[in-house]
């Protein structure tokens, strides 16, 4: 007599309470850490208002302005990481797209010169360049089965050289008309247009990632590619969309930053790619893909600049910033593992 034994899948107990809810969320660790840091900063600002001006209007205004460019870039990087890929070229795309926009919209002096094109048209051209670059990187990585880390590392150097070939080593001024300035550079009390655009994009990507089937596809492809294929998802299409998003976000971030400061430097974006990845990791994104959240990316970016702001207010040496961010990445990775549910 043959006995059939059925395998019964036993789910681990679901944790309850606040810690349980945090463990079920990828941004659980960053929410806790961000709240603790803010409480400490607020207490310090209240106790020592003259020596630690964290709560001053000027400091809050500068802090919010600083967050937006990196935050916009990190949103795209986070989506790509959830899909299981990396893009190390976003910093140089940020610079190249910004310089292209600035030169196309500039008034060219001299007998052969003339007025540049509309800054709005120039901006769309710059974003289109970023999207096309992202699709190109993704196509090469997927078509030839090369890790995107390697492809975009090479692309980073290519776009760096293309920037110097296109414009040389000199900075480019950007003086758009009043309508463009009002939409992308105006100030509204403590916040400016760049921060508002960051929040708008964060809300849009939140609904795409967490309330749309495309977001489910990003998580599925990054979490388990073969399982995604088995349920009818095209991983190539999904990853190319993610690469296009990150390229467009990098280019738009460059335009936003350039509008705020009024110029763009050929090497201004170098290093931003690592800060963007750091913001995503601190925010709970998994390096292997399949895990992350928009809220985590937003808070990760905010925490990086909060730490930088604290060090500036304390008059600490500049190299402390890299030390603290590096330690924070390791701490975030450990926290993510501790808070993550065990299966």
């Amino acid at each position: 007599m043959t006995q059939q034994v059925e395998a019964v899948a036993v789910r681990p107990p679901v944790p309850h309470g606040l810690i349980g809810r945090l463990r079920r969320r990828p941004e659980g660790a960053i929410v806790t850490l961000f709240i603790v840091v803010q409480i400490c900063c607020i207490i310090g600002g209240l106790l020592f208002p003259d020596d630690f001006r964290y709560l001053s209007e000027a400091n809050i205004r500068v802090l919010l302005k600083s967050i937006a460019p990196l935050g916009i870039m990190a949103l795209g990087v986070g989506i790509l990481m959830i899909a299981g890929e990396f893009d190390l070229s976003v910093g140089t795309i940020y610079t190249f797209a910004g310089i292209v926009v600035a030169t196309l919209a500039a008034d060219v002096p001299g007998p052969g010169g003339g007025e540049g094109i509309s800054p709005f048209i120039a901006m769309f051209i710059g974003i289109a360049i970023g999207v096309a670059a992202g699709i190109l990187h993704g196509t090469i990585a997927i078509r030839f089965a090369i890790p995107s880390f390697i492809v975009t590392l090479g692309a980073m150097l290519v776009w760096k050289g293309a920037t110097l070939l296109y414009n040389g080593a000199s900075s480019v001024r950007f003086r758009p008309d009043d309508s463009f300035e009002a939409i992308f550079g105006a100030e509204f009390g403590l916040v400016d247009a760049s921060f508002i655009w960051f929040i708008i994009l964060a809300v849009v990507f939140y609904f795409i990632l967490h309330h749309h089937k495309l977001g489910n596809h990003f998580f599925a492809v990054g979490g388990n590619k073969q399982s995604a294929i088995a349920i009818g998802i095209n991983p190539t299409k999904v990853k190319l969309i993610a690469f296009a998003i990150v390229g467009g976000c990098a280019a738009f971030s460059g335009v936003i930053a350039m509008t705020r400061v009024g110029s763009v430097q050929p090497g201004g974006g170098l290093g931003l790619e690592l800060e963007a990845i750091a913001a995503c990791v601190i925010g709970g994104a998994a390096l292997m893909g399949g895990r992350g959240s928009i809220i985590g990316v937003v808070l990760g970016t905010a925490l990086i600049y909060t730490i930088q702001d604290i060090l500036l207010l304390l008059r600490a040496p500049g190299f402390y910033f890299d030390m603290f961010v590096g330690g924070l990445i390791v701490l975030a990775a450990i926290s993510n593992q501790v808070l993550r549910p065990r299966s």
Side-chain angles (χ1 to χ4, degrees):
M1 181 176 182
T2 305
Q3 294 182 345
Q4 295 181 347
V5 179
E6 294 183 359
V8 179
V10 179
R11 293 184 178 181
V14 178
H16 299 285
L18 178 60
I19 298 298
R21 289 194 294 273
L22 290 176
R23 289 184 63 182
R24 292 195 295 271
R25 301 290 300 177
E27 70 274 12
I30 184 62
V31 170
T32 304
L33 186 58
F34 185 78
I35 292 174
V36 170
V37 170
Q38 292 302 319
I39 291 175
C40 293
C41 289
I42 292 173
I43 293 175
L46 293 174
L47 293 178
F48 310 100
D50 296 329
D51 298 324
F52 188 69
R53 299 177 180 272
Y54 184 77
L55 298 179
S56 67
E57 291 187 3
N59 181 69
I60 295 174
R61 185 179 294 110
V62 171
L63 179 60
L64 295 179
K65 281 185 179 181
S66 303
I67 289 173
L70 178 63
I72 292 172
M73 181 185 295
L75 290 174
V77 172
I79 289 177
L80 184 62
M81 288 180 63
I82 290 172
E85 302 291 345
F86 290 93
D87 193 336
L88 296 180
S89 67
V90 288
T92 48
I93 292 176
Y94 162 102
T95 303
F96 182 76
I99 286 181
V100 169
V101 172
T103 54
L104 289 178
D107 293 332
V108 182
E115 293 186 357
I117 66 175
S118 164
F120 292 98
I121 297 176
M123 181 189 70
F124 285 116
I125 292 175
I127 293 176
I129 290 174
V131 171
I135 294 175
L136 176 62
H137 303 160
T139 301
I140 294 174
I142 296 170
R143 173 65 179 82
F144 297 99
I146 304 174
S148 55
F149 179 91
I150 301 299
V151 173
T152 56
L153 177 62
M156 176 180 68
L157 300 177
V158 170
W159 289 112
K160 179 182 177 182
T163 301
L164 297 175
L165 179 65
Y166 177 79
N167 182 72
S170 59
S171 62
V172 181
R173 297 182 64 188
F174 184 59
R175 296 291 184 268
D177 55 34
D178 293 340
S179 59
F180 190 93
E181 184 71 26
I183 295 175
F184 298 103
E187 293 188 0
F188 307 93
L190 294 178
V191 301
D192 67 343
S194 65
F195 187 78
I196 294 175
W197 279 105
F198 171 45
I199 297 302
I200 290 173
L201 287 177
V203 172
V204 171
F205 286 143
Y206 174 84
F207 282 101
I208 291 176
L209 192 63
H210 302 291
H211 297 280
H212 191 275
K213 67 177 183 180
L214 179 59
N216 293 333
H217 292 179
F218 287 141
F219 283 107
V221 169
N224 192 317
K225 180 179 176 181
Q226 298 305 319
S227 296
I229 294 174
I231 61 176
I233 296 176
N234 185 341
T236 298
K237 179 180 178 181
V238 172
K239 290 192 176 188
L240 286 180
I241 292 174
F243 272 106
I245 289 174
V246 74
C249 285
F252 184 59
S253 174
V255 175
I256 288 292
M258 176 179 62
T259 304
R260 181 168 62 86
V261 301
S263 64
V264 56
Q265 302 286 339
L270 291 177
L272 286 179
E273 61 281 338
L274 297 181
E275 290 186 19
I277 293 175
C280 296
V281 174
I282 292 170
L287 293 174
M288 302 303 293
R291 180 176 171 86
S293 73
I294 295 299
I295 295 176
V297 173
V298 172
L299 294 181
T301 306
L303 187 59
I304 285 178
Y305 277 100
T306 299
I307 291 175
Q308 185 182 54
D309 186 47
I310 293 171
L311 295 176
L312 290 174
L313 292 174
L314 295 177
R315 299 176 178 84
F319 63 84
Y320 279 22
F321 174 67
D322 292 333
M323 293 173 56
F324 273 89
V325 172
L328 186 60
I329 293 173
V330 177
L331 177 63
I334 295 173
S335 299
N336 290 336
Q337 288 298 110
V338 171
L339 292 176
R340 187 171 183 173
R342 296 290 185 260
S343 59

